[in-house]
Each structure stands twice: as structure tokens, then as C-alpha cells.
Amino acid sequence: SAVISQKPSRDICQRGTSLTIQCQVDSQVTMMFWYRQQPGQSLTLIATANQGSEATYESGFVIDKFPISRPNLTFSTLTVSNMSPEDSSIYLCSLKTSLSGNTIYFGEGSWLTVV
Amino acid sequence: DQQVKQNSPSLSVQEGRISILNCDYTNSMFDYFLWYKKYPAEGPTFLISISSIKDKNEDGRFTVFLNKSAKHLSLHIVPSQPGDSAVYFCAASARAGGTSYGKLTFGQGTILTVHP
């Protein structure tokens, strides 16, 4: 499977600030996604990161709060804007490749705590 | 509306015995199912998957069974090892919706503890 690198791995953020998470993949992928896991909850899809165009957001997530970029086939960013304590979560980059079929692989995650 | 359910929050098993983790789903559009293993503050690690055209898939110590009529799947780990202790998530996906199996709907997870 492709190697997925996320930065930062964890951070403590001040309320009202924004943080950008980077996701770098070592090979070209067909689809990239961003998920979130809030404390004690399951994982939820935020959006599909589309290369060269606007991301496709799931219900309950909006571009103003979670702007996403995907300038090429191996890199994407997720920004968590104007953070509040409710945004404290693990944010996960994930992907499908031409070889993985329908299987989604996840990065190691970025653990954000908002204080 | 929880479309994927793992009704057992936790499971405790003796080393060497079988671990059986269960998962139920309600959406009949789901046709691809996956199991992930996860440690706290880390990303999920893919274990095994199954397509709805099959009823069983095996990979080493891990076997997934799918009962479509009951909308139920299970993960069997034989033999269980202490290193298997983690949270196990069941996930389901479908071709429909534009993400082409990219949208995973996860269960709440089951904490597996394997005692030496």
C-alpha cells in the first residue's frame, strides 16, 4: 500500500486560531479523503479531496470551516478554521489507489487539542 | 441513524483462543465491508475486507464472514495473541454516492483485550 505521511502528528491549538494539516503520499493515488474522529466517537468522512478542483463535502461539513486543497495527485491539506474545543479530534488523511481496489488506507492521523 | 453497529463495546479473550467480533448494518446498499484495527491517537490499520458477492474471506489468522440476509458480518481471529489487543472497527461502503467506495460508514468499535 502507499505510504501516507501526515504533519503535524499532534498539536495543541488556541481557541479561535486555524491550523493546516498536510498529507503527503509516496505514490499517485486515485482518490484522497479526510476523516475525523472526535473523542469517544467513530470515524466520520469530512470530504473528498479532488485534484485541481473544490473538495466535495459531506453533510454537516462546510468549506469555510474545513478548507481543503489538493494541488496534485500526491498532496493534500486540510485546514481547521476558527477552532473551538469541539474541534478537538484526530484528523485522518486516507486514500484509494489503483491497486487497492475498494480498500481505503489511512495515515497515522493528526491529533489536535483545542484549548 | 446508525447504519453500522458494533453492539459489543468490549471483548476479553484468553491468548490462543478465538476472538469473534460482530457487526450489523442496516443499509442494503452497502456491498463492501472492511475491518480495521486501531490504537489510541493513531490511524486505523486495514485488516481484511469482503465483497458482498462472497460470504467468507480469509487472511492468515483473520477470517471475515458475511451473512447478507441477516445484514451481519463477523471477524474471527484465531489464535488470538496479546498483540491483537486494540480497538476494532467495522466499516461499510457502497459504489453509490459519487465517492465510489470512498465513503466509509464506521461502527462504534469494539475494544479487544487478549490476556496472556
Side-chain angles (χ1 to χ4, degrees):
Chain A
S1 60
V3 176
I4 308 170
S5 301
Q6 272 188 246
K7 289 193 297 186
S9 58
R10 59 176 62 200
D11 207 340
I12 299 174
C13 308
Q14 295 296 317
R15 186 192 302 247
T17 63
S18 299
L19 183 81
T20 296
I21 302 166
Q22 298 181 0
C23 178
Q24 179 73 54
V25 188
D26 68 345
S27 58
Q28 293 186 354
V29 302
T30 53
M31 300 184 79
M32 292 180 78
F33 310 90
W34 286 96
Y35 280 77
R36 177 177 78 175
Q37 185 186 21
Q38 294 177 296
Q41 303 294 314
S42 192
L43 290 83
T44 303
L45 177 64
I46 298 172
T48 302
N50 300 310
Q51 192 243 331
S53 64
E54 195 170 287
T56 304
Y57 290 85
E58 295 298 307
S59 175
F61 298 96
V62 295
I63 187 172
D64 290 345
K65 177 67 176 177
F66 298 103
I68 289 170
S69 78
R70 189 181 172 192
N72 56 54
L73 290 174
T74 63
F75 185 78
S76 178
T77 67
L78 167 73
T79 299
V80 186
S81 303
N82 188 25
M83 285 186 282
S84 67
E86 291 72 35
D87 294 319
S88 298
S89 300
I90 301 173
Y91 292 87
L92 297 147
C93 174
S94 62
L95 56 86
K96 281 176 38 175
T97 71
S98 58
L99 296 178
S100 72
N102 298 328
T103 298
I104 305 292
Y105 291 95
F106 287 84
E108 62 268 30
S110 298
W111 187 8
L112 303 186
T113 302
V114 183
V115 297
Chain B
D1 174 28
Q2 201 171 339
Q3 298 186 60
V4 178
K5 294 181 183 179
Q6 293 176 253
N7 291 318
S8 298
S10 63
L11 175 67
S12 183
V13 173
Q14 205 67 31
E15 181 178 8
R17 298 290 187 100
I18 184 172
S19 295
I20 300 177
L21 298 111
N22 294 303
C23 178
D24 297 295
Y25 63 97
T26 57
N27 189 339
S28 58
M29 296 297 292
F30 290 144
D31 59 1
Y32 193 73
F33 305 89
L34 310 92
W35 284 94
Y36 291 88
K37 176 182 179 181
K38 189 178 183 300
Y39 297 109
E42 292 185 9
T45 300
F46 169 71
L47 286 174
I48 193 169
S49 63
I50 188 167
S51 165
S52 61
I53 63 173
K54 294 184 175 183
D55 55 17
K56 177 183 175 181
N57 189 26
E58 195 171 353
D59 185 1
R61 296 187 298 116
F62 302 93
T63 302
V64 56
F65 295 92
L66 175 63
N67 183 332
K68 281 178 56 181
S69 60
K71 294 190 174 64
H72 176 83
L73 63 155
S74 60
L75 174 68
H76 292 209
I77 306 173
V78 183
S80 302
Q81 300 172 353
D84 295 330
S85 298
V87 181
Y88 287 78
F89 285 96
C90 165
S93 63
R95 176 181 295 277
T99 63
S100 185
Y101 297 102
K103 180 177 180 178
L104 297 178
T105 301
F106 282 85
Q108 293 299 103
T110 297
I111 302 170
L112 174 65
T113 304
V114 181
H115 298 283

